[in-house]
Amino acid sequence: MMNEFELIQNYFNWEHNEPSIELAVGDDAALFNLLPGHQLVTSTDTLVEGVHFFKDASPSDIAYKSLAVNLSDIAAMGASAKCFTLSLTIPKLDHEWLEKFSSSLKESSRLFNVHLIGGDTTKGPLNITITMMGSIEIDSAIKRSGAKDGDDIYVSGDLGTAALCLKKIIDGESPNLNELEKLHRPVPQLELGSALKHVASSCIDISDGLEQDLSHILKASDVGASIDVLKLPLDESVTEYVKNTSDWSLPLCGGDDYELCFTANKSNRDQIRLLSENLKTKVTKIGEINSSKELKINGYDGHSSSYQHF
Ligand code: ADP
Ligand code: MG
């Protein structure tokens, strides 16, 4: 029988080839160096079985998504991610599960060039908490509080695909591959976030639905906004869904997109078009900030149904 220390050694202690990390897994705490003139940027997200993923979800998808949702928060600040800790609570010592989880986590962390430097391992209902750490030049982070009257409002990618996928699974329908990919393998917009430093006035990642997440920007910035449902970027299946049901709440309030919503001064339009072209990342203007302190969604009279835990 493997003990806790062997478990950590077997599944979560990898070689690092990163000179800024002085101590990783194995000591009482980890140590890494920040570049001079930089700030530490840190964010934590927990994924709970039955809340964030289904009971029988694949361990590879769970590992990928735990990392991706945390990277998405770092992306929304315009920062670069560097290392992370993993607090893992598992109901039992299931080697097959751990093997798949850890190899996917290792592969995903290589993909995004981030390093596992520590964590904690306990027994209990399945729960994965990752704390992501990154850095950014001092005074460069894109906060929620910078939106100004007259700014344009943009979103990256398409909205509602992950929510449509989830809805299809719950309704017993079969989502297509693209929909499954959006739900299980969201791509954090790290390059876009970084390119928006000193360009965007505010930014947030859309994890709980555009309506709710844009409202966070409005509240933090003490402004209002007017957006237009007909301007929302939708892929083919969500376009079809909205055409058939007139249900705009799916792209407006559905969660799990992990796209960025940001605001920028009108004078930055050309720059934003250019950076979107260079990064081959779709960016769509969906409305404008105003001084009303309310969110007006033209073409939508439904109620807010964005995700809330309580
Ligand atoms: P402590 O008793 O000091 O909290 P632990 O036994 O919890 O130490 O952890 C020993 C080492 O293993 C520490 O460096 C810790 O960061 C690391 N660690 C524990 N669990 C994990 C995990 N799931 N993933 C990565 N590192 C872990
Ligand atoms: Mg511990």
Side-chain angles (χ1 to χ4, degrees), residues 148-162:
K148 297 275 182 306
D149 187 6
D151 281 358
D152 292 326
I153 305 172
Y154 299 87
V155 292
S156 66
D158 290 319
L159 298 180
T161 313

Side-chain angles (χ1 to χ4, degrees), residues 21-297:
I21 299 174
E22 188 182 321
L23 269 182
V25 172
D27 212 305
D28 291 313
L31 283 174
F32 65 95
N33 303 317
L34 288 179
L35 289 172
H38 283 62
Q39 288 179 308
L40 175 69
V41 182
T42 176
S43 169
T44 246
D45 256 320
T46 296
L47 270 73
V48 179
E49 181 177 87
V51 179
H52 300 94
F53 54 87
F54 293 112
K55 203 169 164 42
D56 56 356
S58 112
S60 317
D61 285 345
I62 297 173
Y64 175 91
K65 197 161 172 177
S66 310
L67 201 63
V69 302
N70 276 282
L71 287 166
S72 179
D73 283 317
I74 300 291
M77 302 303 291
S80 327
K82 179 179 273 185
C83 37
F84 64 99
T85 57
L86 166 71
S87 288
L88 183 64
T89 305
I90 42 177
K92 60 179 193 297
L93 228 176
D94 176 344
H95 289 290
E96 203 187 320
W97 192 95
L98 278 164
E99 179 54 45
K100 288 183 178 144
F101 180 88
S102 95
S103 46
S104 167
L105 190 67
K106 187 171 172 183
E107 192 188 312
S108 313
S109 51
R110 291 223 164 115
L111 181 67
F112 295 112
N113 196 22
V114 288
H115 306 273
L116 177 59
I117 56 166
D120 201 22
T121 309
T122 50
K123 186 174 168 181
L126 185 59
N127 177 310
I128 298 103
T129 300
I130 283 181
T131 300
M132 186 61 67
M133 284 155 272
S135 69
I136 193 164
E137 299 87 341
I138 288 170
D139 285 335
S140 302
I142 316 169
K143 301 173 189 165
R144 296 179 179 183
S145 55
K148 297 275 182 306
D149 187 6
D151 281 358
D152 292 326
I153 305 172
Y154 299 87
V155 292
S156 66
D158 290 319
L159 298 180
T161 313
L164 182 61
C165 183
L166 186 63
K167 183 175 163 38
K168 286 189 173 175
I169 294 170
I170 292 167
D171 293 348
E173 295 167 37
S174 307
N176 67 34
L177 278 181
N178 177 55
E179 292 160 2
L180 286 167
E181 190 85 1
K182 267 299 262 191
L183 181 66
H184 296 310
R185 302 273 163 162
V187 180
Q189 293 285 2
L190 286 157
E191 287 182 326
L192 177 62
S194 175
L196 289 172
K197 274 184 295 189
H198 307 295
V199 176
S201 52
S202 72
C203 187
I204 192 167
D205 71 317
I206 310 175
S207 52
D208 298 327
L210 173 68
E211 183 264 342
Q212 186 174 133
D213 289 322
L214 175 56
S215 297
H216 292 315
I217 286 188
L218 302 183
K219 185 144 203 288
S221 302
D222 201 23
V223 290
S226 169
I227 63 169
D228 197 331
V229 290
L230 294 176
K231 291 187 180 153
L232 298 181
L234 311 177
D235 70 4
E236 272 176 39
S237 22
V238 178
T239 305
E240 187 68 19
Y241 171 84
V242 173
K243 206 172 100 195
N244 293 335
T245 61
S246 306
D247 177 17
W248 284 102
S249 76
L250 185 110
L252 278 171
C253 310
D256 266 354
D257 283 318
Y258 299 102
E259 294 296 344
L260 297 182
C261 172
F262 61 96
T263 60
N265 190 283
K266 284 190 176 66
S267 63
N268 290 344
R269 276 182 194 170
D270 286 344
Q271 204 177 347
I272 288 168
R273 191 172 33 77
L274 259 180
L275 69 86
S276 149
E277 277 169 22
N278 289 340
L279 297 174
K280 297 188 174 57
T281 301
K282 183 165 149 187
V283 167
T284 309
K285 178 178 176 296
I286 58 162
E288 281 177 17
I289 296 291
N290 58 41
S291 58
S292 72
K293 314 220 169 154
E294 312 247 299
L295 173 58
K296 172 126 180 40
I297 306 176

